[in-house]
């Protein structure tokens, strides 16, 4: 992926925001956290014409698109009843999907072309979450995050589409200690995209998307290996909706939906 100057500024800005926030927090008790995970992603993406018929689709299994997710966090104001944390996440994935569709402008029906698409996905966000603890067993969390997502979709060497947007996301979640070592949770977030753009290389055009929104449910399971390290597994299920774009030179980006699901295996550290 060609991480352009704009993307680099976004990542640096989020990192700077996290650093400044951490340096200015007056905490009762505080510690840093970090994690790294292997990620597999399945995709079921479909574009629709104005009549609602499928124009093209992309599909993959969890082993077709893979990568890693890293995070750095800071926990503060922790006591027996509550704590807060701020966390920076960065996920980078790449791999193939199976494309079913037709050649652009050919007039041929859906399914006349079957090929492979190369994909690269970058997703980074910073979030603030507050958690209430009940009887040292049950936790209820809520918070807000801001992020940036980029999907590079290379249908061929000459036809590359890049979807980008920023997003705001409210977050709510619950978790329960099912034993002294194992915690199970469920988190829901809604990502509302803004400044949504799709750039095409052939034809060389920019499109302003009507919107990009994602609902996401994640189910994390963590195992407390020792005082400073947890092992975790997380399954995430999401639905992405993109609203059709403006018309540019007779072309437009159509409505689409995507069911993007993730499986993550990782390790988390406390400092």
């Amino acid at each position: 992926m060609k991480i352009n100057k704009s993307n680099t500024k976004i990542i640096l800005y989020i990192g700077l925001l996290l650093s400044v926030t951490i340096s200015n927090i007056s905490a009762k008790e505080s510690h840093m956290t970090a994690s790294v995970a292997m990620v597999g992603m399945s995709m079921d993406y479909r574009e629709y014409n104005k009549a609602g018929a499928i124009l093209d689709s992309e599909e993959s299994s969890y082993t077709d698109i893979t990568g890693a997710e890293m995070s750095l966090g800071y926990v503060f104001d922790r006591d027996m009843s509550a704590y807060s944390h701020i966390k920076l996440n960065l996920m980078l994935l790449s791999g193939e999907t199976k494309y079913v569709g037709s050649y652009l402008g050919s007039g041929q029906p859906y399914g006349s072309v079957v090929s492979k698409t190369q994909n690269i996905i970058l997703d980074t966000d910073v979030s603030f979450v507050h958690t209430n603890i009940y009887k040292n067993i049950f936790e209820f969390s809520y918070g807000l995050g801001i992020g940036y997502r980029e999907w590079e979709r290379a249908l061929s060497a000459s036809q590359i589409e890049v979807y980008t947007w920023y997003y705001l996301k409210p977050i709510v979640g619950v978790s329960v200690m099912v034993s002294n070592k194992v915690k199970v949770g469920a988190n829901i977030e809604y990502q509302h995209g803004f400044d949504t753009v799709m750039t095409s290389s052939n034809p060389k055009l920019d499109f302003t998307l009507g919107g990009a929104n994602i609902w996401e449910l994640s189910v994390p399971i963590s195992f407390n290996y020792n005082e400073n390290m947890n092992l975790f597994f997380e399954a995430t299920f999401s639905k992405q909706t993109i609203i059709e774009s403006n018309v540019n030179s007779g072309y437009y980006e159509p409505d689409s939906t995507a069911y993007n699901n993730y499986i993550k295996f990782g390790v988390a550290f406390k400092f």
Side-chain angles (χ1 to χ4, degrees):
M1 170 184 259
K2 296 178 181 178
I3 304 297
N4 59 40
K5 292 181 179 179
S6 177
N7 298 348
T8 303
K9 288 179 181 178
I10 293 162
I11 296 169
L12 291 175
Y13 172 76
I14 292 175
L16 178 62
L17 177 63
L18 179 64
S19 300
V20 171
T21 303
I22 289 173
S23 67
N24 285 283
I25 289 172
S26 175
K28 299 175 184 176
E29 178 185 351
S30 62
H31 59 258
M32 300 290 296
T33 64
S35 69
V36 61
M38 297 180 297
V39 183
M41 173 186 172
S42 72
M43 180 187 294
D44 183 358
Y45 172 83
R46 295 167 188 257
E47 293 184 345
Y48 306 91
N49 65 19
K50 293 181 182 294
I54 298 176
L55 290 171
D56 59 66
S57 62
E58 304 275 2
E59 292 186 353
S60 73
S61 69
Y62 288 106
T63 57
D64 293 326
I65 299 179
T66 59
E69 182 177 59
M70 297 165 285
S71 73
L72 178 66
Y74 187 85
V75 179
F76 58 96
D77 284 347
R78 185 180 186 106
D79 57 31
M80 295 296 291
S81 63
Y83 64 92
S84 299
H85 76 264
I86 187 167
K87 184 164 69 171
L88 171 68
N89 290 300
L90 175 64
M91 182 170 67
L92 185 61
L93 309 173
S94 65
E96 289 185 343
T97 50
K98 178 184 177 181
Y99 171 85
V100 180
S102 62
Y103 289 117
L104 184 66
S106 68
Q108 295 299 309
Y110 170 74
S112 59
V113 175
V114 177
S115 62
K116 294 289 186 180
T117 298
Q118 300 297 320
N119 303 271
I120 301 177
I121 297 167
L122 168 71
D123 198 310
T124 183
D125 71 88
V126 61
S127 58
F128 172 84
V129 176
H130 179 76
T131 300
N132 293 318
I133 306 171
Y134 301 94
K135 296 184 177 180
N136 239 9
I137 297 175
F138 180 81
E139 296 183 352
F140 173 71
S141 303
Y142 55 92
L144 185 67
I146 183 169
Y148 172 80
R149 187 174 180 89
E150 179 171 317
W151 172 29
E152 181 180 286
R153 181 189 182 204
L155 295 121
S156 68
S158 62
Q159 187 178 354
I160 299 173
E161 298 177 348
V162 181
Y163 301 76
T164 61
W165 61 80
Y166 304 90
Y167 59 84
L168 289 171
K169 61 171 187 175
I171 309 160
V172 294
V174 295
S175 64
V176 61
M177 295 295 301
V178 297
S179 73
N180 289 335
K181 296 236 178 227
V182 179
K183 180 191 287 188
V184 179
N187 304 303
I188 297 175
E189 62 182 61
Y190 167 65
Q191 300 177 11
H192 175 69
F194 58 97
D195 194 16
T196 52
V197 176
M198 193 279 273
T199 300
S200 171
S201 66
N202 184 24
K204 191 171 179 59
L205 297 170
D206 293 337
F207 300 92
T208 300
L209 303 172
N213 302 286
I214 298 175
W215 284 96
E216 190 168 283
L217 168 67
S218 60
V219 180
I221 302 172
S222 64
F223 173 77
N224 185 12
Y225 183 77
N226 60 36
E227 184 178 350
N228 297 312
M229 184 171 72
N230 289 346
L231 306 177
F232 68 88
F233 163 83
E234 185 174 309
T236 300
F237 312 93
S238 72
K239 181 182 179 181
Q240 171 187 290
T241 302
I242 293 177
I243 302 171
E244 72 175 58
S245 72
N246 63 313
V247 177
N248 189 349
S249 302
Y251 296 94
Y252 77 102
E253 175 65 12
D255 288 335
S256 67
T257 59
Y259 293 89
N260 297 328
N261 302 323
Y262 308 84
I263 291 179
K264 306 174 185 179
F265 296 92
V267 57
F269 303 94
K270 301 175 185 178
F271 302 99

